[in-house]
Amino acid sequence: MRINDTFRELEPAKRLTILNAAMDEFAQHGYEKASTNAIVREAGISKGLLFYYFHSKEELYHDLLAHAYDTLKDSLMLAFDSADGDFIARLRRAAERKLRTYIEHPHIVRFLGAVFLERNSGHLPPAMLENLNNTYTTFRAQLYANIDTSLFRDDVPPEHCIQLIRWCMEGYEKEMEAMMSRHGMPQEPGAYTPLFEAYYGYLDSLKQVFYRK
Amino acid sequence: MRINDTFRELEPAKRLTILNAAMDEFAQHGYEKASTNAIVREAGISKGLLFYYFHSKEELYHDLLAHAYDTLKDSLMLAFDSADGDFIARLRRAAERKLRTYIEHPHIVRFLGAVFLERNSGHLPPAMLENLNNTYTTFRAQLYANIDTSLFRDDVPPEHCIQLIRWCMEGYEKEMEAMMSRHGMPQEPGAYTPLFEAYYGYLDSLKQVFYRK
Amino acid sequence: MRINDTFRELEPAKRLTILNAAMDEFAQHGYEKASTNAIVREAGISKGLLFYYFHSKEELYHDLLAHAYDTLKDSLMLAFDSADGDFIARLRRAAERKLRTYIEHPHIVRFLGAVFLERNSGHLPPAMLENLNNTYTTFRAQLYANIDTSLFRDDVPPEHCIQLIRWCMEGYEKEMEAMMSRHGMPQEPGAYTPLFEAYYGYLDSLKQVFYRK
Amino acid sequence: MRINDTFRELEPAKRLTILNAAMDEFAQHGYEKASTNAIVREAGISKGLLFYYFHSKEELYHDLLAHAYDTLKDSLMLAFDSADGDFIARLRRAAERKLRTYIEHPHIVRFLGAVFLERNSGHLPPAMLENLNNTYTTFRAQLYANIDTSLFRDDVPPEHCIQLIRWCMEGYEKEMEAMMSRHGMPQEPGAYTPLFEAYYGYLDSLKQVFYRK
DNA sequence: TATGAATGAGGGTTCATTCAT
DNA sequence: GATGAATGAACCCTCATTCAT
């Protein structure tokens, strides 16, 4: 069991209040600038209690990361469960799942993004950093395993096709994340439709140029 | 003369030691978390001297930005001097110059990147923020102006071509930056040859798939 | 409630230790030169705690002033409650009350004196400054209102009588304050008797020379 | 010779510039808050030179005091050279001389006033403090020596007459000083006439009430 | 003589962390 | 379990003082 036992026994609502308050603070200000005062204020608990559950700011950070992993484990496992050879189709499903995860667990996704951004600042224990990198690498590997390269046009090296397509997808994702962090995330599901349509448009174009006729 | 006179008269080696120490600290931790203690420790000067040169942390930050501009001015001016309609050729020149700038002034480039990331945190005076945004906008505009879309294949919207190509370029650049920050930057110029060759290979593929025959 | 709640809940002894340490420091050195280090050293608390109670040096100063007002409010209210036309009798009662206040609250009186001296240095919020000036003006006005000038001898302008008598009273008060700050204040009440007797002697002489027979 | 020899050899104009700049700074801000930076800026000399002449802020303070004594010695000696028994006449001459000194040496008088005010703050060496107190005591003593008490009315103790008159004089002086520090000192000599007339008016009243007919 | 760059202790303030209750 | 008062190191910054030139 990763997180402090007494903390895990808490009624889930309060537990989540604390976790989300902490994740938001870390996501917004980064590890160093994050204020434990702000966390307890937002979570509605006392300073002492926070340090009773998590013995230090650093441990809190680590426990949040563990919590994030635990929560997303299932979602992530499904991410590539039915990977088929069509690379672009696979990317399409991956992006959809990614977006869905963001909608379901916005605190966690934002926190993970912030953790990932400052993963080399020295606040993660080597094991966790390695784990983080491994997870990232594994997902990467899964994403690029067993691609049916026979779908690609033959006048361009298939590795180039894969790389270029991947960069396009990542570029699109980053753009969307940037947009969302600027305007906040739409609350009603319908608002996401045009985003997906634009996305599908790009996928079509990618197919057009990278796949053989 | 932007930076404190007495500071500018310093022997260049020491001046650069201080500037680089400060830029590294700001680049690594951001404005708020950057520690003047860490800077003076790294630069090997006393606390008082730093504030004798730069009267405040904020002024130091601004002077560093001015220094970055002054140093890169010439490089940047040349960046798009002979832009032609061939979008991919244009990107090629831009990336080459960008890489060269990074190789010549790594501290400055990293510092500028960090400044740009937190440009809306309120630590830049309005004039500087506007200048930064203008520079960025201008470069962006220049990069995407007067593109000869007749070179693109006609079964895909030209906006899609432009976007997708851009994402590919940015993806490649980020990958190279990441690699450099992981392994350190090669010191001997010859080490960059394979990087450029890989790069040119990607450009060829991009031409192959996005340009008409 | 003016002063920080958690501070007000303190056991009175400790609260007074802190307040007096702070008031002494401000009274001795003025606002700017007063050292919070000296205050915490004198009060026997940590630096952090002082700023936990009072969020800044300035707020501490303001809270001390509020504390001084609160404490002296009752004493001050009574100061001129039964003013009659006999100017010297009025001064007598005022000085008695003033001395009694000084004996009971020496730290506060000295602090207030110092605050008043540097009231235009910009460390008081406008409201407090105005309040201070108003209080002073009101007391002044009350002290010199409705004086029965028919009691004065008629060969000297009554304004002269008032001014000269006032200067005598102030001179005497200052002398006593100086003496007390030199020798410390007597602890046993009986020690004040000779002071009052000397004082009454002067009042008799003033009556003799300024009042008509 | 009290003040640093090399400093005394300076051309008088520059010497005075430095002395006055320093005295003004101390008079305005007190010992602690006085800034050596402000002094050298005002005096137009370098930081190093100030500490070449005066080895420390404290020694500067002491040397300024010595300079003040030296300069005022002659004026002060004359203050009571022809003291006669008429106490009020004597006070009249003393006040006139005091005002004249203020007009002739405003920097010095203001500096001495400030020194006297904070003479117990611990910045004066014991010898100087004692000297200061002695001087003050001596002047006091001279002022109250050989008073012809037969001039006073006989229904009031002569000590009372002396004290009360003294307080009146001091009250008037303080009032004038306060007024001058508020409005600045008039530059043209004629402006002082009304002040003296008011003063003489008060002296007349004092004679009226304290002297026998 | 004269300079001003360089120092480091001390200024007010914040904040993660501890501990008596 | 739960609190928040209490701590002290570190924050940015100032300033009297020194010293190589």
Side-chain angles (χ1 to χ4, degrees), chain A residues 34 36 47 51 57:
Chain A
T36 54
K47 204 85 181 288
F51 284 87
K57 188 185 189 182

Side-chain angles (χ1 to χ4, degrees), chain D residues 34 36 47 51 57:
Chain D
T36 54
K47 204 84 182 288
F51 285 87
K57 188 184 188 181

Side-chain angles (χ1 to χ4, degrees), chain D residues 94-155:
Chain D
E96 283 170 351
R97 179 158 301 281
K98 204 167 171 180
L99 179 57
R100 194 163 307 131
T101 306
Y102 191 31
I103 292 168
E104 287 170 8
H105 305 286
H107 302 282
I108 294 180
V109 172
R110 282 193 298 253
F111 172 70
L112 277 179
V115 169
F116 194 76
L117 276 180
E118 54 178 6
R119 69 187 181 284
N120 290 318
S121 310
H123 301 302
L124 290 173
M128 277 197 158
L129 176 54
E130 196 184 3
N131 187 15
L132 192 63
N133 283 328
N134 283 346
T135 306
Y136 184 68
T137 307
T138 304
F139 282 180
R140 277 277 141 127
Q142 266 187 294
L143 196 56
Y144 299 112
N146 305 319
I147 294 172
D148 180 358
T149 56
S150 71
L151 296 173
F152 295 138
R153 56 193 293 165
D154 55 8
D155 57 346

Side-chain angles (χ1 to χ4, degrees), chain A residues 1 12 24-25 38 60 77 100 103 112 114 120 135 142 150 204:
Chain A
M1 202 175 312
D24 282 355
E25 179 70 12
L60 167 59
M77 292 235 158
R100 196 162 306 132
I103 293 168
L112 276 180
N120 290 317
T135 305
Q142 265 186 296
S150 71
D204 286 342

Side-chain angles (χ1 to χ4, degrees), chain B residues 98 102 172-182:
Chain B
K98 203 166 170 181
Y102 190 41
Y172 179 78
E173 286 175 18
K174 250 166 221 150
E175 208 119 309
M176 276 186 53
E177 284 174 17
M179 198 195 61
M180 286 185 181
S181 82
R182 260 201 303 280

Side-chain angles (χ1 to χ4, degrees), chain A residues 10 15-16 18 27 29 41-42 45 48 52 73 75 79 105 115 125 130 134 140 164 170 200 208 210:
Chain A
L10 232 52
R15 237 182 81 244
L16 273 182
I18 297 174
H29 302 105
R41 202 185 312 122
E42 181 66 23
I45 61 170
Y52 177 73
K73 201 166 36 190
S75 304
H105 304 286
V115 169
E130 197 185 4
N134 284 347
R140 275 280 142 123
L164 293 171
E170 290 176 354
Y200 296 151
Q208 195 77 14
F210 283 107

Side-chain angles (χ1 to χ4, degrees), chain C residues 28 35 43 45 57-59 69 92 125 156 167 170 184 186 197:
Chain C
Q28 270 184 47
S35 162
I45 60 171
K57 187 186 188 180
E58 200 169 29
E59 186 177 320
Y69 265 86
R92 173 180 172 143
V156 166
W167 283 332
E170 290 177 353
E197 274 169 13

